[in-house]
Structures are given as C-alpha cells and as structure tokens.
Amino acid sequence: MHCSKLFHIVKDHECDIFCNFDKDLHKEVRKGIIAAILHTDMIKHNDMVKELGLLYQMNSDTFDKLSPGSVVNESQQNVQTTLNALLHCADISNAMKPWELCRRWADMVLDEFFAQGDKERELGMPVQFLNDRTKVSRPNSQVGFIEFVIAPLCEVCVQLFPQLDGLADNLGRNICKWNETWQAEANPDQAERDKVNARTQKVSLRCKALLRSKAGMPGAEQSPR
C-alpha cells in the first residue's frame, strides 16, 4: 500500500521528484524504494540486525572514524542495506525519542493493538497476546520491546553512524522510565522487581557504551543531548 500510494502521488507533475530521471535510473530508484519499504516488515528485523552487525564488524575502523561514505558507497548492496536500515529504524523509532514523545507514541500503538484485540474477541477469534488489554501491561510490554527488538537495532545503527548516539541516550533513559512506571503501577514483589531491574540495567549500560562522550570516540564533544 505504501509503495502504491507513493508512486500514485508522484504521478502528479507538481509532485514528481523523479521527473528528470531517465528510464533506467527511474527503474533503479523505484526498485530501491520498494525494497526499503518492504524491509520495514518486522519479519525482516532480525536478519537486518545481523546483516548490519556484520557490515560493522568488517569495517569498524572506517565507521568509528565517522566516515561511513567509503563503505556505504562501495557497492549497491551496501547502499540498499543502509537505506533499509535507516527507514526501518525511523519506522520503529518511538522508543528512541525523548520520553514524552516515546510514551505518547507507545500509547497510540498499544491503543491500536487493543482495538484489534477487542474486535478479535467480538468476532469470536483468538485474541493475539499483544492485543489483549486484559493481560498486557503497557509499561512492562515496552521494557520487553526495547530489550529484545529496539536495543539490538539501535546498537548496530549507532555503531555504523555514531552521530546518532542521541538515539541510544534516549533509549537507555526510556527503558528506565518504563521500568519505574511499571513498578509504580503494578507494585510487583521484590523478586520480580529485581529481575526487571537487572534486565533494564543491562540495556541501559549497553546504550551508555554507545555514547561518544562515554566511549572516547572521535567527535565526542559534538554528541547531541
């Protein structure tokens, strides 16, 4: 749908950003755009994280020097991998935004999930776990979402582009805020608190290790906060 809508919009001559492209270039750009949009599908998430991690491991010196261009432009595959990663990262970036935006977006996403769950229940269908408002704790679900989904992606993206370390800074703060919110709302027993505190601390430390000001990387004094 997103691909179709995009190319429908650019058919309007006032919106046609590709109007000066020749046929071959237009075909190549269209192919790249479609691939990037399809890679926002969460089914591709884990493979993408592995691919980005491998790209960093093979070229860590170049990326650490804040000069990714030579690696990215080395091949069309690297260009496409980078485009896929940046679009996917932007698509699920709410957890990496400042806390107020993070919480607002999480609430809207969960409201959508719960509305779907309500409809599934109404139709007599099995209610998918994340869609069941009677079982899902909003803040606790976000701790898990950050830990298992967002943190690995954030880590490899910031390794590739250290200038994005502000995302890691926000993420480390946000998982702590979600943990605090969960404890205040759920009042769990001490054993459960200790378990989630340990998980939260582990992610927070991983995020801090990515900050240029903490890691002593080039350009640390320019790290945005």
Side-chain angles (χ1 to χ4, degrees):
M1 184 194 74
H2 292 94
C3 296
S4 175
K5 190 66 176 177
L6 168 63
F7 290 110
H8 176 76
I9 290 172
V10 297
K11 282 183 178 179
D12 185 329
H13 73 278
E14 293 185 355
C15 303
D16 189 1
I17 59 176
F18 309 123
C19 61
N20 293 321
F21 290 11
D22 61 36
K23 184 177 180 180
D24 289 341
L25 180 57
H26 185 275
K27 183 178 180 180
E28 181 181 347
V29 169
R30 179 185 174 89
K31 180 181 178 181
I33 291 172
I34 292 172
I37 292 174
L38 291 178
H39 274 80
T40 62
D41 191 327
M42 289 302 297
I43 199 172
K44 298 181 180 294
H45 177 86
N46 290 334
D47 286 341
M48 182 184 294
V49 170
K50 292 177 183 177
E51 188 175 5
L52 295 172
L54 181 61
L55 182 63
Y56 174 74
Q57 289 173 22
M58 295 177 63
N59 304 277
S60 58
D61 289 344
T62 302
F63 285 113
D64 289 347
K65 292 176 182 177
L66 310 184
S67 55
S70 59
V71 175
V72 172
N73 294 318
E74 190 175 79
S75 68
Q76 183 57 40
Q77 180 179 349
N78 285 354
V79 170
Q80 189 64 57
T81 296
T82 303
L83 292 174
N84 296 347
L86 292 175
L87 183 59
H88 181 51
C89 190
D91 188 44
I92 57 174
S93 65
N94 59 285
M96 295 177 274
K97 296 182 184 295
W99 169 245
E100 292 303 321
L101 287 174
C102 167
R103 179 158 193 170
R104 189 187 311 170
W105 274 103
D107 281 340
M108 289 191 290
V109 170
L110 287 166
D111 284 343
E112 183 177 330
F113 287 174
F114 293 160
Q116 179 175 328
D118 293 344
K119 194 65 177 179
E120 290 168 344
R121 186 177 290 105
E122 177 186 329
L123 295 173
M125 299 170 60
V127 178
Q128 298 179 62
F129 176 72
L130 290 177
N131 298 345
D132 194 337
R133 67 172 71 246
T134 67
K135 296 180 180 179
V136 174
S137 161
R138 288 176 182 254
N140 190 260
S141 72
Q142 294 306 295
V143 170
F145 180 58
I146 290 174
E147 179 182 13
F148 297 111
V149 179
I150 303 300
L153 178 64
C154 179
E155 190 167 26
V156 291
C157 283
V158 174
Q159 285 174 338
L160 292 174
F161 304 104
Q163 301 94 325
L164 298 178
D165 66 342
L167 301 180
D169 192 13
N170 287 335
L171 190 66
R173 297 173 188 272
N174 289 341
I175 193 171
C176 293
K177 291 289 290 185
W178 282 122
N179 183 24
E180 292 170 6
T181 304
W182 167 69
Q183 293 193 28
E185 292 182 1
N187 192 28
D189 61 37
Q190 191 59 49
E192 191 66 18
R193 287 175 188 265
D194 291 343
K195 185 187 299 183
V196 178
N197 283 341
R199 292 166 51 199
T200 300
Q201 181 70 3
K202 184 177 180 180
V203 174
S204 178
L205 290 174
R206 284 170 59 191
C207 289
K208 287 180 180 179
L210 294 167
L211 306 185
R212 286 177 286 163
S213 58
K214 300 293 185 183
M217 296 181 66
E221 68 281 356
Q222 300 174 9
S223 182
R225 294 290 170 265

